Amino acid sequence: MQLSVDIRLAKPDFSLQITHDFELGGITALFGPSGVGKSTLLRIISGLEAKSSGRVAYGDEVWQEKGRFVPPHKRGVGYVFQDTRLFSHLNVMQNLKYATKRSPADSQISFEPVVETLDLAPLLDRQTGSLSGGERQRVAIGRTLLSGPRLLLMDEPLAALDRARKASLLPYIARLPNAFSLPVIYVTHSVEEVARLADQMVVLADGGLLASGGVAKTLARLDIAEASGKFEAGSVVKAVVSGQDEAFKLTKLTVAGQSVSMPASAVKKGEALRLRIRARDVAIALQKPEGLSIRNILQGTITEIAQEAETAFAEILLDIGEGQRLRARITRASVAELGLSEGMVVQALVKSVSFDRRALPKG
Amino acid sequence: MSLPDLGPLWLSIQLAAVTTLILLIFGTPLAWWLATTRSRFKPVAEAITALPLVLPPTVLGFYLLIMLSPNSTLGGLWRDATGNSLTFSFSGLVLASILYSLPFAVQPLQAAFEGVGRGPMEAAASLRASKLNAFLTVAVPLSKRGFLTAGVLSFAHTIGEFGVVLMVGGNIPGQTRVISIAIYEKVETLDYAQAHVLSLILLVFSFVVLLLVYSLNRRMPVRVG
């Protein structure tokens, strides 16, 4: 499904101008630092910013253009707010029923599967005031699903939660697009959430569009560093489980034909995974080093070097085979000393790897 | 000591009930508009609504007397339509009381609606509720304390009305002689015994109503999520 947006919105302290056709499917991350207009874009898509000008169309339905503005309640866009916005005068069950009562007759989303997917059964009789942050967000997601949306917008639903709650909620969100055949636009400023959840991403910076495309390719682009924050910047690479080393408790993986290992984890041989490797955890060597504790070494060809004149650092983009990219963040002094240049074949030493359990979608 | 004529008390209650009902019906949309508008006329509307709080009842009553008189446009139209005069009639009193008690209905409602805020209304819209539907199913239940306060204050304020009634309604038994006027008349004619009884009835009645409301308010806590 295509969502086409061509809008402008000017506020006293802030302006947003975006022209983009979203090819929706699975989860599309809307990514960028705080204050660049991610939430505002969601509000425009859902019809909550009546002051915006321009055009918004979903498929062949025009939601907004000159002289036409479809009000939010007629768009069929579900919106999960960062602050949940549960109705405090209703209990959990009544909040859910508020949505079911108003869902269209032909909605494919029914009560039981939603309650089951989000594990809401134990919460139904509770008052909303007695729920924890994670529980509130699950109820809010359930309520939005039950209104039978055709498009689901999620505005940093995990931002207010601590790490443990975030981790427990991520699998619920990852399940949504397939379980309810519903395209999702997911706003976040966390690279980790993008890597775990999204199939594609759109990057915003300073009130405009910076980049868009598949997650692995887009995260590998060096100019995204500004948007993602240098500390968290990194790459996502595809890996296949090649076996387990019982003696040393390691899981062996194949990445672009090269082998990598990491502390043992309960994954099956042949399973496809995505690995997340932070740029600052990658070092560069000209030859395969000996006598080193780092075990994960990937060979690659330098395709791009971005020097940051105002800092000590440079970002290196490597092609490690099969079209996969790896980013490394090293000092500019090292670049000069090693004589690195585009087209050189080097060894990338990877200090730490984390991975996302979710198998990659085919293709 | 003989029991005084309770007609004026009954008339006051009728007047307050009708006024409160009409104020809640028409004050609600006005309060909602004031709570949500970004119009530059909002301060003007707020100032006009609050006028009865600061004006002496005699000033309000004087203007009303002129506005409602059969020689004025409004009073003339009313006389042509009903055959009665608006001044010195129960209908005129109702109209005067509505203006006089307007801020006591609108201000608590406006505060309650502002407390609801845009958040829940936007959530309701995203769940396919129309504006009116969202207002009735979200804003109104979340503002029930505001409605209770608005209703009680309008009612109590109308019961205690004196100056405006005196100016617009006079002292016609069964028509415009409300309890405060009746007490004034007893005192004027030096019938202190009857004035005592009527005053005590009004005092006890007002206390019981307020007590009821505050007890109800305690048992109806607004849950904050």
Side-chain angles (χ1 to χ4, degrees):
Chain A
M1 194 53 122
Q2 195 186 58
L3 173 71
S4 124
V5 170
D6 178 8
I7 53 91
R8 280 162 302 286
L9 177 67
K11 289 184 173 180
D13 51 343
F14 166 86
S15 79
L16 181 69
Q17 174 157 15
I18 287 174
T19 305
H20 186 64
D21 291 336
F22 292 81
E23 296 296 342
L24 298 176
I27 297 183
T28 305
L30 189 56
F31 177 77
S34 307
V36 294
K38 304 187 297 291
S39 301
T40 307
L41 180 57
L42 281 202
R43 292 175 58 82
I44 289 171
I45 293 169
S46 65
L48 295 174
E49 288 288 344
K51 290 234 169 92
S52 63
S53 61
R55 186 172 186 277
V56 179
Y58 187 63
D60 49 12
E61 243 176 84
V62 178
W63 282 342
Q64 180 180 345
E65 64 185 355
K66 209 169 166 56
R68 179 180 170 82
F69 189 86
V70 178
H73 69 276
K74 291 197 174 140
R75 295 192 181 190
V77 175
Y79 200 126
V80 176
F81 299 90
Q82 188 178 335
D83 53 356
T84 73
R85 302 195 181 177
L86 297 180
F87 300 134
S88 58
H89 64 294
L90 304 176
N91 70 16
V92 171
M93 183 64 155
Q94 290 163 329
N95 265 282
L96 299 178
K97 288 289 178 196
Y98 192 94
T100 36
K101 260 186 245 164
R102 289 164 175 80
S103 76
D106 60 352
S107 169
Q108 303 293 310
I109 301 175
S110 51
F111 194 75
E112 279 74 24
V114 171
V115 168
E116 196 175 314
T117 307
L118 293 165
D119 195 17
L120 297 178
L123 308 177
L124 291 177
D125 293 327
R126 300 265 294 275
Q127 293 300 332
T128 55
S130 72
L131 301 175
S132 72
E135 289 169 339
R136 291 181 69 82
Q137 205 49 269
R138 264 155 58 205
V139 174
I141 294 169
R143 185 178 69 167
T144 302
L145 288 172
L146 288 171
S147 71
R150 296 178 294 165
L151 166 64
L152 181 60
L153 309 180
M154 303 183 88
D155 190 359
E156 305 205 34
L158 305 182
L161 306 178
D162 59 41
R163 272 200 88 75
R165 291 240 166 73
K166 258 182 209 171
S168 72
L169 212 57
L170 276 167
Y172 290 113
I173 294 174
R175 242 177 273 161
L176 297 178
N178 284 333
F180 303 104
S181 37
L182 187 64
V184 176
I185 300 181
Y186 185 97
V187 162
T188 181
H189 60 258
S190 147
V191 178
E192 192 187 343
E193 285 172 29
V194 172
R196 284 215 45 184
L197 293 173
D199 304 289
Q200 49 200 329
M201 68 190 290
V202 173
V203 185
L204 294 191
D206 278 335
L209 187 90
L210 185 63
S212 68
V215 166
K217 268 211 180 106
T218 311
L219 275 182
R221 276 184 49 179
L222 296 183
D223 56 349
I224 305 300
E226 280 305 325
S228 58
K230 302 218 159 51
F231 190 77
E232 278 300 314
S235 0
V236 172
V237 297
K238 295 180 208 175
V240 177
V241 180
S242 54
Q244 301 279 4
D245 181 336
E246 289 300 332
F248 287 108
K249 293 276 180 265
L250 290 173
T251 295
K252 296 198 164 294
L253 306 158
T254 308
V255 176
Q258 313 189 50
S259 86
V260 167
S261 61
M262 57 190 295
S265 179
V267 286
K268 284 191 231 55
K269 190 173 174 181
E271 197 175 330
L273 300 168
R274 16 179 164 192
L275 303 181
R276 189 169 134 52
I277 303 171
R278 283 190 299 205
R280 67 185 176 104
D281 288 339
V282 179
I284 301 282
L286 295 177
Q287 281 97 35
K288 209 159 193 168
E290 304 278 327
L292 198 67
S293 70
I294 290 177
R295 301 190 49 81
N296 293 325
I297 299 172
L298 293 164
Q299 180 171 300
T301 311
I302 297 179
T303 58
E304 202 178 330
I305 299 177
Q307 307 258 7
E308 292 168 11
E310 74 282 13
T311 74
F313 294 94
E315 297 242 349
I316 313 284
L317 189 59
L318 299 172
D319 184 338
I320 53 170
E322 296 177 2
Q324 301 217 61
R325 287 144 206 258
L326 188 64
R327 293 170 64 176
R329 181 169 171 78
I330 59 177
T331 59
R332 287 195 287 135
S334 304
V335 174
E337 199 172 307
L338 298 178
L340 298 181
S341 64
E342 284 170 23
M344 270 177 81
V345 175
V346 293
Q347 308 294 325
L349 317 181
V350 180
K351 275 179 261 177
S352 144
V353 174
S354 65
F355 75 96
D356 165 13
R357 258 170 193 291
R358 190 165 69 113
L360 273 172
K362 296 278 176 285
Chain B
M1 193 173 73
S2 67
L3 204 67
D5 175 17
L6 287 182
L9 175 64
W10 178 230
L11 193 67
S12 279
I13 292 172
Q14 277 181 305
L15 178 64
V18 173
T19 301
T20 303
L21 188 70
I22 294 175
L23 269 178
L24 287 182
I25 292 170
F26 291 100
T28 300
L30 174 60
W32 182 253
W33 181 78
L34 286 172
T36 54
T37 187
R38 286 175 200 158
S39 159
R40 60 205 161 98
F41 296 111
K42 176 182 170 178
V44 180
E46 279 181 311
I48 293 176
T49 310
L51 267 182
L53 288 175
V54 292
L55 278 185
T58 42
V59 173
L60 194 64
F62 174 65
Y63 281 122
L64 277 167
L65 186 64
I66 291 175
M67 219 173 71
L68 302 182
S69 103
N71 302 326
S72 74
T73 317
L74 181 65
L77 280 175
W78 181 267
R79 196 194 41 198
D80 295 346
T82 65
N84 297 317
S85 165
L86 261 181
T87 44
F88 309 108
S89 74
F90 185 75
S91 312
L93 274 197
V94 170
L95 210 64
S97 304
I98 288 170
L99 284 176
Y100 182 57
S101 297
L102 185 67
F104 293 84
V106 170
Q107 289 185 349
L109 286 176
Q110 185 186 342
F113 292 150
E114 282 168 354
V116 172
R118 282 196 315 179
M121 296 302 285
E122 288 181 353
S126 79
L127 298 172
R128 299 176 185 271
S130 70
K131 273 199 168 150
L132 179 64
N133 187 251
F135 174 75
L136 294 173
T137 56
V138 176
V140 169
L142 285 175
S143 308
K144 58 186 175 186
R145 244 183 219 256
F147 278 95
L148 187 71
T149 312
V152 171
L153 288 182
S154 307
F155 190 86
H157 191 243
T158 308
I159 290 270
E161 188 177 338
F162 175 71
V164 177
V165 183
L166 198 64
M167 297 289 284
V168 178
N171 182 11
I172 306 166
Q175 275 281 326
T176 63
R177 184 186 287 167
V178 295
I179 189 157
S180 57
I181 302 281
I183 293 168
Y184 177 70
E185 197 204 13
K186 296 294 179 204
V187 175
E188 285 282 278
T189 55
L190 299 178
D191 188 354
Y192 277 34
Q194 297 272 311
H196 261 303
V197 179
L198 283 175
S199 296
L200 188 66
I201 289 174
L202 196 54
L203 181 71
V204 171
F205 174 82
S206 305
F207 177 73
V208 169
V209 168
L210 291 177
L211 186 67
L212 251 165
V213 166
Y214 285 117
S215 323
L216 211 69
N217 211 355
R218 261 173 58 126
R219 263 187 280 138
M220 198 171 70
V222 176
R223 278 185 288 270
V224 180

